[in-house]
Amino acid sequence: MRLGYHSITWGGVTGDATGVTSVKDLVYKVPGSMHRALRDIAAAGYEGVEMFDGNVADFADNPGELRSLLAETGLSLVSVYTGANFIYSEILPDELYRVRRAAELAATFGAEQLVVGGGARRAAGTREADYDRLAEALDTVTGIAEEHGLSACYHPHLTTIVESPEEVEKIFTRSRIGFCPDTAHLAAGGGDPAALIRRHPDRIRHVHLKDLRRDPFTFLPLGEGEIDFADVLAAVREVGYDRWLIVELDSYDGDPAEAARISKTFLDKALS
């Protein structure tokens, strides 16, 4: 297995404000410097990077800049992360427009995976039909990814309609999309990350690793929280997954480069 890191830590999750009034333009973005992020990730010893769709889009008009940065750092762009509501029929075409754009950019820069989150929770409460709508949209996303030579995987996420193990089960009985388990989000949703990996062995396309402390709630570098990574890594091996492990830490109080080094040291020991 190869180790990568998400650029999210260099500024956290933000979005393009134009998306408030123009759904087709709503992307995830990290406000920090991608040049610094990729250089720090490489210096920590990782081989790959995952980026948000909005940050990759920043290089669309000058693709040579990102290619040069990847060559300089020796990193592979492993995956691009995007997301959408997916349950509202009126805006779905514009959301799929964004997903297609993300897939085009991912393919342009040699990525393997299109990672997708989403499934909005309605103010009036979730309807059972929302899972059918989400699943149908995710199948369309899978097709878009395949058209661009990519594999698509779904990332269950807090604040969406797929948080708990029961909700994970609902979506994977309805959609053919792959599974990107995120250890901290699955644990925070009440699940056992290792058990969910074992539950869906043929679905695993990509893996996100981060640690978790429940009280007070915070995401942490690997080895600094409550998650049993020995069991998680054992489960990953048992299901035959042998591709990328991506550390994806939303934020860090100190230097993000320090957080990357902490997790790399932990993984090197855990995998040895």
Side-chain angles (χ1 to χ4, degrees):
M1 287 178 283
R2 303 176 71 186
L3 305 182
Y5 205 91
H6 199 302
S7 60
I8 185 175
T9 320
W10 282 259
V13 187
T14 64
D16 191 324
T18 58
V20 175
T21 53
S22 179
V23 170
K24 71 178 181 60
D25 298 317
L26 182 57
V27 292
Y28 288 116
K29 295 189 77 170
V30 173
S33 166
M34 291 299 97
H35 289 77
R36 178 190 170 193
L38 269 63
R39 288 167 180 151
D40 285 349
I41 289 167
Y46 295 92
E47 297 179 82
V49 61
E50 180 171 312
M51 295 172 66
F52 281 136
D53 52 352
N55 291 108
V56 179
D58 286 340
F59 296 95
D61 293 334
N62 187 10
E65 183 180 358
L66 180 54
R67 290 195 179 103
S68 295
L69 181 59
L70 291 168
E72 172 202 326
T73 58
L75 295 172
S76 299
L77 178 64
V78 179
S79 39
V80 172
Y81 190 109
T82 187
N85 294 276
F86 290 131
I87 66 167
Y88 304 117
S89 58
E90 176 64 24
I91 65 171
L92 183 59
D94 280 359
E95 292 184 322
L96 293 175
Y97 168 90
R98 289 195 286 99
V99 170
R100 185 173 296 278
R101 181 62 174 146
E104 291 170 352
L105 288 167
T108 294
F109 295 107
E112 302 172 10
Q113 294 289 334
L114 184 67
V115 187
V116 180
R121 288 198 180 274
R122 299 175 187 269
T126 300
R127 307 168 187 171
E128 190 63 25
D130 289 343
Y131 291 98
D132 296 321
R133 293 183 179 196
L134 173 59
E136 183 178 358
L138 293 177
D139 283 347
T140 302
V141 168
T142 301
I144 291 171
E146 291 170 349
E147 290 170 12
H148 292 84
L150 305 169
S151 172
C153 53
Y154 180 69
H155 179 307
H157 202 289
L158 295 177
T159 75
T160 73
I161 62 173
V162 185
E163 295 182 344
S164 70
E166 295 76 20
E167 291 165 347
V168 171
E169 190 72 17
K170 282 183 180 183
I171 207 60
F172 287 138
T173 56
R174 290 167 164 86
S175 172
R176 68 186 182 96
I177 198 167
F179 183 18
C180 173
D182 180 297
T183 52
H185 280 277
L186 293 174
D192 177 338
L196 285 163
I197 290 168
R198 293 183 175 106
R199 170 68 177 161
H200 301 283
D202 298 329
R203 293 273 190 166
I204 309 299
R205 301 287 184 273
H206 197 55
V207 175
H208 278 184
L209 303 175
K210 60 174 164 276
D211 215 335
L212 168 71
R213 183 176 64 222
R214 291 177 174 83
D215 188 18
F217 184 90
T218 188
F219 294 134
L220 293 166
L222 306 187
E224 297 199 342
E226 304 168 17
I227 292 177
D228 183 354
F229 284 103
D231 197 25
V232 168
L233 294 173
V236 166
R237 290 188 176 103
E238 287 169 24
V239 303
Y241 180 83
D242 62 357
R243 294 183 292 280
W244 289 93
L245 300 175
I246 303 292
V247 181
E248 189 235 18
L249 180 62
D250 296 48
S251 62
Y252 186 66
D253 288 339
D255 182 355
E258 177 187 33
R261 292 191 296 268
I262 291 169
S263 291
K264 182 62 165 56
T265 298
F266 177 88
L267 277 174
D268 286 344
K269 182 176 180 180
L271 291 168
S272 65

